[in-house]
Amino acid sequence: SSPDGAAVSAKVAVGATSTSGVSSVSACLPRLLGSSTSARAQLRRAGAASSPEPKKRVDSASAQAPRSGEPGDPLRAPSVHYLSTKLLEEVQAAGFSRKSTIYDIDPSIIRKRTAHDRCPRDGREGAAFVDVLRGADNAGRANFMLSYTWGYSLGDIVDALVEYCQRCNLDMRRTYVWICCFCMNQHRIQEAISRGDTVPFDTLAEQFSSRVRSIGHILSLMDSWRSPRYITRAWCIYELYVAMEANCKLDVIMTAREGRSFLRALITGDHGLEELWQALEQVDVRKAEASIATDRESILQLVEDGPGANALNQRVRSKLQARFADVAEQEVLDFQRNHPSCAQSCKAAGEAGTRISIMLMQMSEFDRVVKLSRYWISRLKETCCEDAPVQAVHYTMMGGALLSMGDQEGAGASLAQALRICTVSSSFGTLEGAHVFRLQALLLGAQGDVEGGLSKIAEAYAVIQKLGATESKHAANVLTTMAVFHSKLKQFDLAALHFQKAHDILTTLGRFRTPFFARLLTLMAYVDVKLGYISKGLAKCEEAHKKLVDTGSVETSDGGHCLALIAWVMAESGNTKVALQRSLSSLQILENSGMSETVQGVESMLSLAHVRHRLGDLAEAESLTRQASRVCSSKGLSPLLDLAPVGFNI
């Protein structure tokens, strides 16, 4: 059965109390009980926790509070070094394996090894596993807390922690991770179950909250990137909620095996990116389960009373998205370093590099795209693949990222190099060549040359037609850009036609879960309103916002720009209150992303000016419009969408 995943615990075991005087025997009960009906029946969750059995006499030495990190300290935790060496050896010597779960090793290793040791916390026989470990290399005061489920294999837990230490350059001998199965006294947990102790939710919640705040850094372990069990458990969701409310550090970790699996899906299948967005879409705290229904209800109520389910979902999705970006970047760099030959390097750059850059572009990770493109271009030169078509692809990706960042000069130089290579390698008539034309069109449009941009995008579509790729994702990208130019020329009927065609292509291909699709919907909504179809525009805005939330993309620069368009549409519909919230969020997101002085930033300012104008604040509307004009003048920019208030020129 699937376990509850909370690392819930108080500061002390039975026979001692925390500073709030709450007994902590209940700390691991939700995880330990899992979904076992017979075990659940032993817990009556209506009243206060039952009193512990009478303590045996404790001498004065053991009655003294333990020093930080010493045996008896409730924050004492095993080191990653110990877990990855001695513990694994002990597990295998006992006849278990790396695939054994915490449930498997609890009776025969965790409790058996410590059954006759005196507990330094209450003086009774039977100690917490961590209290019998000796030496600073093996245990010390926790600097991390692991959020996981007991159904995970020990090998996955250890591998993920080792990978995290290696990635963050941490000393595994001094990285101590609080893990409830090792740090709580499991003998007392079993005693509590046998007595049928009542464990109220409030007690569990207070105990865990205290632990999280004391440690301050949570590691959330996802066992599978496609369908992580972690996000289906209500107590795991509660851990994330507490970390968010306490403003603790939160990192999502996974095993290196899962990282490689993600990379393979991304670079070997055309639907790898779609799988990524689908995985993020599954994150919904409202769908989480608990073995005890009242726990789930209490957790969800706490979430709703606090940040809200949508906000928590967004936070988790953003963290997962960031982790996916880290994994993809590191894995492909490792692949190239381990494959020095020209053929292998070109293959890695072509198959992995392009798709990863596309993923990073959709995540608005433009700096990373530039960094990786430069690395791959340099690597291709070193391996005598300079001027190969694959190098043109990376110049194109770098140009697109620089253009999004507002660096028109850098974008122009990169795209010029891509064009040069396309000429040398005779690859203008390829999909890569069409991509270069499309980005050139966007660059011309950002510089105010709309006619030139439209001509260049027509060249791109001609290539698509010649290749018979008019129903491909490439065609959808080109059609979307073409529609933007037609809308700039106020040819809204034609723009709507191209937008709809792009929409139909992506829907048929099953590519409707992406941030790009959300952006397409907001552009379609903008044109709908220009054509007088306000209700249709509002419906598309609602769908677009849901896509952004589902993919964890609201806080990205593309998400911020989508909010600007949504705000503009809502203002046109008369819903100025929500429009103001959306436009202010848009501007803040783009400022935080360093995108204020880009086309997206200018259009966000104009959207806010439009909302202010609708609210009757003409002075603020004029101020924002002037600010946008100054940015355009200083940076040589020209907005592609007409979002300024009526009667205001830019």
Side-chain angles (χ1 to χ4, degrees):
S1 61
S2 179
D4 286 305
V8 182
S9 66
K11 290 191 173 183
V12 284
V14 168
T17 57
S18 68
T19 55
S20 62
V22 179
S23 174
S24 67
V25 65
S26 57
C28 285
L29 287 175
R31 184 196 309 276
L32 188 60
L33 293 177
S35 57
S36 167
T37 303
S38 60
R40 289 204 314 274
Q42 298 179 59
L43 289 179
R44 298 179 306 277
R45 307 184 63 87
S50 60
S51 302
E53 293 178 352
K55 292 185 293 182
K56 294 182 179 179
R57 182 178 177 180
V58 182
D59 60 35
S60 59
S62 63
Q64 296 175 358
R67 290 183 297 175
S68 177
E70 292 297 312
D73 180 355
L75 295 183
R76 182 172 171 81
S79 70
V80 176
H81 164 73
Y82 170 79
L83 296 171
S84 61
T85 55
K86 298 177 183 178
L87 178 64
L88 284 180
E89 292 170 4
E90 185 173 344
V91 166
Q92 291 171 341
F96 295 95
S97 72
R98 291 169 52 84
K99 294 182 178 180
S100 299
T101 68
I102 300 301
Y103 281 127
D104 296 331
I105 69 171
D106 173 46
S108 303
I109 294 180
I110 296 176
R111 279 186 278 140
K112 184 177 181 180
R113 174 175 171 178
T114 59
H116 302 295
D117 288 280
R118 178 175 170 178
C119 176
R121 311 183 192 199
D122 62 14
R124 296 172 53 209
E125 188 176 72
F129 191 88
V130 73
D131 284 336
V132 305
L133 303 181
R134 295 293 179 265
D137 286 353
N138 297 320
R141 191 184 190 282
N143 36 32
F144 297 94
M145 183 181 208
L146 185 68
S147 181
Y148 71 117
T149 81
W150 274 39
Y152 287 173
S153 72
L154 182 62
D156 280 354
I157 292 171
V158 171
D159 288 349
L161 292 173
V162 168
E163 193 276 337
Y164 180 78
C165 288
Q166 292 172 341
R167 178 162 50 90
C168 298
N169 296 317
L170 299 176
D171 182 353
M172 288 190 283
R173 296 175 187 272
R174 295 297 178 268
T175 301
Y176 307 111
V177 184
W178 198 94
I179 308 174
C180 69
C181 62
F182 301 119
C183 300
M184 290 302 301
N185 190 323
Q186 298 303 321
H187 303 285
R188 305 298 177 263
I189 302 297
Q190 290 298 319
E191 291 169 6
I193 293 174
S194 298
R195 292 195 303 269
D197 281 352
T198 298
V199 188
F201 171 79
D202 289 347
T203 300
L204 294 173
E206 173 59 31
Q207 292 167 357
F208 177 69
S209 177
S210 174
R211 183 77 65 183
V212 170
R213 294 172 193 274
S214 296
I215 296 174
H217 197 152
I218 307 298
L219 301 179
S220 296
L221 175 56
M222 304 292 170
D223 59 329
S224 166
W225 71 270
R226 282 187 173 93
S227 55
R229 283 177 290 174
Y230 180 93
I231 60 177
T232 69
R233 307 309 302 162
W235 276 102
C236 290
I237 297 303
Y238 180 71
E239 295 179 17
L240 296 176
Y241 158 75
V242 173
M244 184 175 177
E245 286 292 279
N247 200 28
C248 296
K249 293 182 180 178
L250 174 64
D251 287 320
V252 172
I253 63 175
M254 63 178 69
T255 64
R257 182 192 69 250
E258 280 301 303
R260 290 190 295 270
S261 169
F262 169 61
L263 184 65
R264 283 195 300 272
L266 191 63
I267 67 177
T268 61
D270 200 37
H271 292 281
L273 265 177
E274 184 62 26
E275 286 189 82
L276 163 65
W277 304 123
Q278 187 172 3
L280 292 175
E281 197 176 67
Q282 292 181 43
V283 177
D284 190 345
V285 302
R286 286 160 295 213
K287 297 178 182 178
E289 300 174 353
S291 58
I292 298 172
T294 54
D295 280 359
R296 177 185 180 276
E297 294 167 4
S298 297
I299 289 169
L300 293 182
Q301 189 60 54
L302 277 175
V303 170
E304 289 295 353
D305 291 344
N310 286 338
L312 186 57
N313 285 340
Q314 175 66 19
R315 176 79 179 274
V316 176
R317 287 165 179 153
S318 295
K319 287 290 182 180
L320 283 170
Q321 192 183 103
R323 185 69 192 106
F324 286 144
D326 289 341
V327 168
E329 180 180 33
Q330 190 56 53
E331 288 291 337
V332 77
L333 289 176
D334 288 345
F335 182 90
Q336 287 206 52
R337 292 189 186 104
N338 296 329
H339 297 80
S341 75
C342 175
Q344 290 167 322
S345 179
C346 287
K347 181 180 179 181
E351 294 181 0
T354 302
R355 286 193 172 95
I356 289 174
S357 290
I358 291 171
M359 180 193 76
L360 293 173
M361 285 289 287
Q362 291 198 14
M363 292 178 174
S364 298
E365 294 279 356
F366 305 124
D367 284 331
R368 285 188 172 190
V369 175
V370 172
K371 173 187 171 184
L372 289 176
S373 296
R374 285 175 175 158
Y375 173 85
W376 285 316
I377 289 167
S378 174
R379 180 62 183 267
L380 289 166
K381 289 180 179 179
E382 292 173 1
T383 53
C384 303
C385 285
E386 187 172 10
D387 291 347
V390 68
Q391 192 178 47
V393 173
H394 293 303
Y395 271 119
T396 304
M397 297 304 302
M398 183 163 64
L402 291 170
L403 181 59
S404 296
M405 295 164 65
D407 183 356
Q408 295 188 60
E409 183 177 354
S414 294
L415 294 176
Q417 285 284 13
L419 283 171
R420 181 188 63 79
I421 295 171
C422 284
T423 302
V424 171
S425 59
S426 301
S427 55
F428 275 123
T430 64
L431 292 174
E432 289 75 18
H435 189 38
V436 176
F437 290 145
R438 187 178 75 85
L439 288 177
Q440 272 198 313
L442 286 172
L443 177 59
L444 290 169
Q447 294 170 340
D449 185 358
V450 180
E451 294 291 348
L454 192 57
S455 174
K456 190 61 67 174
I457 200 66
E459 289 186 59
Y461 195 67
V463 172
I464 296 288
Q465 288 178 310
K466 187 174 182 179
L467 293 172
T470 54
E471 300 298 320
S472 68
K473 61 180 181 180
H474 307 284
N477 289 338
V478 171
L479 286 167
T480 299
T481 305
M482 187 179 291
V484 169
F485 280 100
H486 283 301
S487 68
K488 178 65 175 178
L489 294 171
K490 302 189 185 304
Q491 299 168 349
F492 297 117
D493 285 323
L494 197 52
L497 183 66
H498 292 321
F499 278 140
Q500 188 61 52
K501 177 60 176 174
H503 177 279
D504 293 345
I505 290 171
L506 293 176
T507 301
T508 300
L509 294 174
R511 296 178 178 274
F512 48 81
R513 292 185 175 92
T514 68
F516 178 80
F517 196 80
R519 177 171 167 75
L520 172 60
L521 287 170
T522 59
L523 290 168
M524 294 176 74
Y526 164 78
V527 170
D528 280 342
V529 172
K530 288 291 187 180
L531 290 170
Y533 305 125
I534 293 179
S535 59
K536 289 175 61 177
L538 286 171
K540 289 185 176 72
C541 283
E542 183 177 348
E543 184 183 354
H545 190 262
K546 185 178 185 302
K547 300 284 184 191
L548 293 173
V549 171
D550 287 347
T551 57
S553 303
V554 173
E555 299 293 326
T556 66
S557 59
D558 275 352
H561 188 248
C562 286
L563 289 180
L565 293 178
I566 291 171
W568 186 90
V569 170
M570 295 187 118
E572 285 292 286
S573 73
N575 191 349
T576 51
K577 182 178 179 180
V578 177
L580 182 60
Q581 294 173 348
R582 293 280 190 263
S583 58
L584 289 172
S585 295
S586 167
L587 204 59
Q588 188 62 57
I589 291 169
L590 290 167
E591 286 179 358
N592 293 342
S593 304
M595 304 285 286
S596 296
E597 297 186 342
T598 65
V599 170
Q600 289 183 333
V602 167
E603 290 178 348
S604 177
M605 278 185 266
L606 293 175
S607 173
L608 180 55
H610 177 73
V611 174
R612 291 292 191 189
H613 186 263
R614 286 286 184 176
L615 287 166
D617 191 349
L618 302 184
E620 182 64 17
E622 183 177 1
S623 175
L624 286 164
T625 304
R626 286 179 177 175
Q627 184 180 350
S629 295
R630 285 194 295 271
V631 172
C632 288
S633 297
S634 64
K635 297 293 181 179
L637 300 177
S638 177
L640 289 171
L641 301 175
D642 183 17
L643 303 179
V646 176
F648 287 72
N649 295 319
I650 181 167

